[in-house]
Amino acid sequence: MEKLTIKDIPLEEYTITPGSACQGCGPALAARLVFKALGDKVIRHGVPSCPDSVTRTPHTFSVFESAGAALTGISRALKVLGRDDVLAVGFIGDGGTYDIGFQALSAAAERNEDILWFCKNNEAYMNTGIQRSSATPLYAWTTTTQVGPRGRGKETPRKNLPFIVAAHHVPYVATASIAFPTDLIGKVLHAKRLRGFRFIDILCPCPTGWRFDPSRTIEVARLAVQTGMWALYEIIDGREFRLTYKPKKLKPVEEYLRIQGRFRHLTDGEIEEIQRMVDENWERLLKLDEEGEFPL
Amino acid sequence: MIEIRFHGRGGQGAVTASRLIAEAVAKEGKYAQAIPMYGTERRGAPVTAYVRIDYRPIRRRDLVHEPDIVIVIDPILSRKPSVAAGLKSGGLLLLNYPTPPEEVEIGGDFMVSTVDATTIALETLGRPITNTAVLGAFSRVTGITKLKSLEEAILKRFPGEIGKRNVEALRRAYEEVHLPKPAKGPLRPREEEPPHVTGYGVLKSVADWRVFRPVVDLEKCVGCRLCWIYCPETAISLVDEKPIIDYDKCKGCGICVHECPVKAIEFVRESV
Amino acid sequence: MTVEVMVGNKAAATGAKLSRVQVAVAFPVTPQTTIVEYLNEFITKGEMDCEFINVEGELSAQVVVQAASRIGARTFCCTSGPGCLYMHHPMHDTSSLRLPVVMAVVHRGNKGMQPDHTDLMSHIMTGWIQWYVENNQEVLDSIIMAYRVAEDMRVRIPIAVGYDGYILSYTAEPVDVPEQEEVDDFLPPYKPTPSLMPEDFDPKAPLWWRVPWEEHHKVIVDAKEVIKEVNEEFGKRFGRSYGNGLVEEYRCEDAEAVIVAMGTIASTARDAIDNLKAEGKPIGLVKLKCLVPFPYEDFQRIGSEVRAIGMIDRNVCLGVGGVGHTFIRNAIYDLEERPKVLGFHAGLAGKEVKVSDIERMAEKVLKAARGESVSPLVEWV
């Protein structure tokens, strides 16, 4: 990735605002940052999801399950028409990426289609009103993983999708966060210069679905990273692994969990369990980072 | 049959208020329909809901176009004459508004009643969720449903502490509501669509989404660009490294206020 | 022009090649699979300049052609039975976005591997133009004609060209293969509207656009005239055409009754009609090629000229009846004097339809035409 400071971020905007997203919408900010970095030679593709930000790019859409196929069609048509200067860009929610769109995603990655796929990941189906996805973390409340005498929120941890995509040996996989715009844009700029299948999973908190005040969107996104709940890294060619944010010490996950209504019901024991999980994962990531190698 | 139209913004509970009325009148043996406007609701965006009440089963399934009562639970929307579009002659316009009905700007051949539900909500719930307070005013002014029925409906839906605080908001509004007066304001509703945002796309202005507005103290600002980079709606641009806010684009989310490292941005309640 | 003995699937692939398809997509499914292999062969040999994508399923195949067509490539895809059904969801959008995709459907029913028309007919409400063809020559010719119709600015609607699996897909017969230059003259390059290239970006373009229902319906109804025009022009240039493009009347002069059939049953029926004509029986054949848009006007005219119609449906809309039978009855309802309309369900799940079967059906229709009572009005053959 490219190393940037905030002053390196271009002033030019590619979103047309104000849009129809909620107050404090994480994905709306993610769209702004991503398309700032991509510039104007872009065809943007979307599938059903919440609105984020409308961009000054031609746009196409297709059915929910089909982003990988549609981006393939766009990219191949651009190739056959001799327009290799135009990027085929998917800006797709976690439903369209992790779940219903997973088959077409995997197929496009395996064919190493020349596309850029951004997952605006808000960890649940927000457009239909906060239902769990396979990106929803352990114990999170959603309207389909409720809390009561027979439910403690989501029963399983989220799918490790970036690793799964990396296992397709694609040129570039990264995670990013809207709270770390220089890291995010540095990754987008790097990915933009490569060819083949590129995937960036961006954690975008959703105040409405995660149940926190809209003013705290960035704080929540930042704590996700600082506590190790959402590590920032990149994987090159399915081989090289690098953490791009490595604090000396992680903050306790409790700081992240306690400020969100979706985790309000957590017991101390459950928080400890999540802490253990995060610690183990962080150890593993540090080891990968040290060795610099993705284990395939 | 009595027909009611609610206006509010996503997150204030207009749809919930319509359901609570339906549940309350059902307890009293009447029939009701609570209808949310089709489409997806966005936090902060104007939304619409409808209620029908009758002594016999209600069969019609169209939307309400000529309501007997319009209830606006958001103070900014209460300034828009279009909320009264289609309101029947002699009908009631019940507004969440901080001043008595005489000072309301909307006028027409209907009555207007006001209640400062935002202040009540902030003081009882700590958040500007105004729906239950407005229902207290509704009960007092119209007599269509008893306060007790609404209390039961609220406690059923929100058990525990939250329910109790909502009942407190309901009761306070019942006491504090300004009773109806003929609507004499200068702004007349025209034949236009009432405010409602759904779906996708670019909007002209979101100024009426805000309860609070961010105000920059340029003296304190150190030009770090953080407010600029974190604004989802590009409402902040940089002039000589200092943020300038476009209030047509600002939804009042408060991210800039929260993220400013030197506390140079203040969150000020929108005046009505 | 050269004559080559080829199977139906090669005729389809050759039609796509001659149409200079730029993006081709398919997922293998019996009995369509060899189209995919022929295309791969043409491309690998360098005979065809085309992006071919081996997708992971038919739903993706449909979406790839949809997206590529939107960007501006001429696209082709092909499928059969279960794969055809799996595509259903995005097919609505291909039509709603008014994209001129052409797809070969090698008919296969969903109760086994054998052909019937229930696969493509399950898509009647997706807004695709549907053609049902009877021999390998018509497969090749119809694919070329389909691009000309679909890309016409008055139409811009996708077209499915259906032919019976096994009966045509794997049966070899001589096919006249037109010269590339002749096809190029007939079929100009495809241009998308609106252009989606960044330099043409229009900020006023709607974010999510699908043609509204009423307009969508009218465009497809009006496509009948374009189909007729293109069929006629094809005839002038290549010396072959297919009735008026929508229906073909075979030996209907002086007929008091007609049999209506689709696909390969129409082909077999020609022999049955010849046999009955030789006996002096007043019967003819109407081949129904274009099911959507339905040629109401043709059937109103035919209905006013005969006393009985017998529709052979290689399909069933379960609990309702034969699709062709239902549509024809709808078409003739407003006539002052209506003919009897008999129905036959034949050839479902690949059940063989013999010349003698059709002769027997025709005799029943003739009986009805003479005013004698026949029962049942609809039968399973």
Side-chain angles (χ1 to χ4, degrees), chain B residues 10 26 47-48 61 65 70 78 80 106 116 135 147 154 165-166 172 211 219 221 225 231 240-241 252-253:
Chain B
V47 294
T48 312
R61 299 285 164 193
H65 298 285
V70 168
S78 291
K80 284 183 178 276
I106 306 170
D116 187 3
L135 289 181
L147 195 61
I154 289 170
R165 288 202 219 159
N166 274 287
R172 262 192 64 183
V211 178
E219 293 296 311
C221 171
R225 296 192 175 189
C231 178
D240 298 331
E241 290 299 318
C253 69

Coordinates of all heavy atoms in Angstrom, one line a residue, chain B residues 10 26 47-48 61 65 70 78 80 106 116 135 147 154 165-166 172 211 219 221 225 231 240-241 252-253:
Chain B
G10 N -37.0 9.6 10.4 CA -36.6 8.3 10.8 C -35.9 8.3 12.1 O -35.0 9.0 12.3
A26 N -57.8 -0.1 20.1 CA -58.3 -1.5 20.1 C -58.7 -1.9 21.5 O -59.6 -2.7 21.7 CB -57.3 -2.4 19.5
V47 N -40.4 10.8 7.2 CA -41.2 9.6 7.0 C -42.7 9.9 7.3 O -43.0 10.9 7.9 CB -40.8 8.4 7.9 CG1 -39.4 8.0 7.5 CG2 -40.8 8.8 9.4
T48 N -43.5 9.1 6.8 CA -45.0 9.3 6.9 C -45.6 8.0 7.4 O -45.2 6.9 7.1 CB -45.6 9.6 5.5 OG1 -44.8 10.7 5.0 CG2 -47.0 10.1 5.7
R61 N -58.1 -0.1 1.7 CA -56.6 -0.4 1.8 C -55.8 0.7 1.1 O -54.7 0.4 0.8 CB -56.3 -1.7 1.2 CG -57.0 -2.9 1.9 CD -56.3 -3.2 3.3 NE -57.2 -4.0 4.1 CZ -57.0 -4.3 5.4 NH1 -55.9 -3.7 6.0 NH2 -57.8 -5.0 6.0
H65 N -55.5 10.3 2.1 CA -55.2 11.5 1.4 C -55.8 12.8 1.9 O -55.3 13.9 1.7 CB -55.6 11.3 -0.1 CG -54.9 10.2 -0.8 ND1 -53.5 10.3 -1.1 CD2 -55.2 8.9 -1.0 CE1 -53.1 9.1 -1.6 NE2 -54.1 8.3 -1.6
V70 N -53.7 15.8 11.3 CA -52.3 15.6 10.9 C -51.4 15.8 12.2 O -51.6 16.8 12.9 CB -51.8 16.6 9.9 CG1 -50.3 16.6 9.7 CG2 -52.5 16.3 8.5
S78 N -42.5 20.8 11.4 CA -43.7 21.6 11.8 C -43.7 23.0 11.1 O -44.7 23.7 11.3 CB -43.7 21.7 13.3 OG -44.0 20.4 13.8
K80 N -43.1 23.3 7.9 CA -43.4 23.2 6.5 C -44.9 23.2 6.2 O -45.6 22.3 6.7 CB -42.8 21.9 6.0 CG -41.3 21.9 5.8 CD -40.9 20.5 5.2 CE -39.4 20.5 4.9 NZ -39.0 21.1 3.7
I106 N -48.1 28.2 9.9 CA -49.0 27.6 8.9 C -50.5 28.0 9.2 O -50.9 28.0 10.4 CB -48.9 26.1 9.0 CG1 -47.5 25.6 8.8 CG2 -49.8 25.4 7.9 CD1 -47.2 24.2 9.1
D116 N -44.4 21.2 23.1 CA -43.0 21.2 22.9 C -42.4 19.8 23.3 O -41.8 19.6 24.3 CB -42.3 22.3 23.8 CG -40.8 22.5 23.5 OD1 -40.3 21.8 22.6 OD2 -40.2 23.3 24.2
L135 N -48.1 11.8 21.6 CA -49.4 11.0 21.9 C -50.1 11.5 23.1 O -51.4 11.5 23.1 CB -49.0 9.5 22.0 CG -48.6 8.8 20.7 CD1 -48.3 7.3 21.0 CD2 -49.6 9.0 19.6
L147 N -55.8 8.4 28.0 CA -54.4 8.4 28.4 C -54.0 7.0 28.9 O -53.0 6.5 28.6 CB -54.2 9.4 29.5 CG -52.8 9.8 29.7 CD1 -52.1 10.4 28.5 CD2 -52.7 10.8 30.9
I154 N -48.0 1.6 25.7 CA -46.5 1.9 25.8 C -45.8 0.9 26.6 O -44.7 0.4 26.3 CB -46.3 3.4 26.3 CG1 -46.8 4.4 25.3 CG2 -44.9 3.6 26.7 CD1 -46.9 5.8 25.8
R165 N -40.3 5.9 31.5 CA -39.9 7.2 31.1 C -40.8 7.7 29.9 O -41.1 8.9 29.9 CB -38.4 7.2 30.6 CG -37.5 7.1 31.8 CD -36.2 7.7 31.4 NE -35.1 6.8 32.0 CZ -33.9 6.8 31.5 NH1 -33.5 7.5 30.5 NH2 -33.0 6.1 32.1
N166 N -41.2 6.8 29.1 CA -42.1 7.2 28.0 C -43.4 7.6 28.5 O -44.0 8.5 28.0 CB -42.2 6.1 26.9 CG -41.0 6.2 25.9 OD1 -41.0 7.0 25.0 ND2 -40.1 5.3 26.0
R172 N -46.6 14.3 30.7 CA -46.2 15.7 30.8 C -46.8 16.4 29.6 O -47.3 17.5 29.7 CB -44.7 15.8 30.7 CG -44.1 16.0 32.1 CD -42.6 16.4 32.0 NE -42.4 17.7 31.3 CZ -41.2 18.2 31.1 NH1 -40.1 17.6 31.4 NH2 -41.1 19.4 30.5
V211 N -31.5 18.0 14.4 CA -32.0 18.6 15.6 C -31.0 19.5 16.2 O -31.3 20.6 16.7 CB -32.3 17.4 16.6 CG1 -32.8 18.0 17.9 CG2 -33.3 16.5 16.1
E219 N -11.4 30.4 15.5 CA -10.3 30.8 16.4 C -9.7 29.5 17.0 O -8.4 29.4 17.0 CB -10.8 31.7 17.5 CG -11.3 33.1 17.0 CD -10.2 33.9 16.4 OE1 -9.1 34.0 16.9 OE2 -10.4 34.3 15.2
C221 N -9.9 26.4 15.9 CA -9.6 25.4 14.9 C -8.1 25.4 14.6 O -7.5 26.5 14.4 CB -10.4 25.7 13.6 SG -9.9 24.6 12.2
R225 N -7.9 19.0 9.5 CA -8.7 18.4 8.4 C -9.5 17.2 8.9 O -10.1 16.5 8.0 CB -7.8 17.9 7.3 CG -7.1 19.1 6.6 CD -6.5 18.5 5.3 NE -5.9 19.6 4.5 CZ -5.4 19.5 3.3 NH1 -5.5 18.4 2.7 NH2 -4.9 20.6 2.7
C231 N -16.5 13.6 7.3 CA -18.0 14.0 7.0 C -18.5 13.1 5.9 O -18.0 13.1 4.8 CB -18.1 15.4 6.6 SG -19.8 15.8 6.2
D240 N -8.7 28.0 3.1 CA -7.5 28.3 3.9 C -7.3 27.4 5.1 O -7.1 27.8 6.2 CB -7.6 29.8 4.4 CG -7.6 30.7 3.3 OD1 -7.1 30.4 2.2 OD2 -8.2 31.8 3.4
E241 N -7.5 26.1 4.8 CA -7.3 25.0 5.8 C -8.4 25.0 6.9 O -8.2 24.3 7.9 CB -5.9 25.1 6.4 CG -4.8 24.7 5.5 CD -4.9 23.2 5.0 OE1 -5.3 22.4 5.8 OE2 -4.7 23.0 3.8
G252 N -26.6 16.8 10.5 CA -26.6 16.9 11.9 C -26.2 15.6 12.7 O -26.7 15.4 13.7
C253 N -25.3 14.8 12.0 CA -25.0 13.6 12.7 C -24.1 13.8 13.9 O -24.1 13.0 14.8 CB -24.3 12.6 11.7 SG -22.6 13.1 11.1

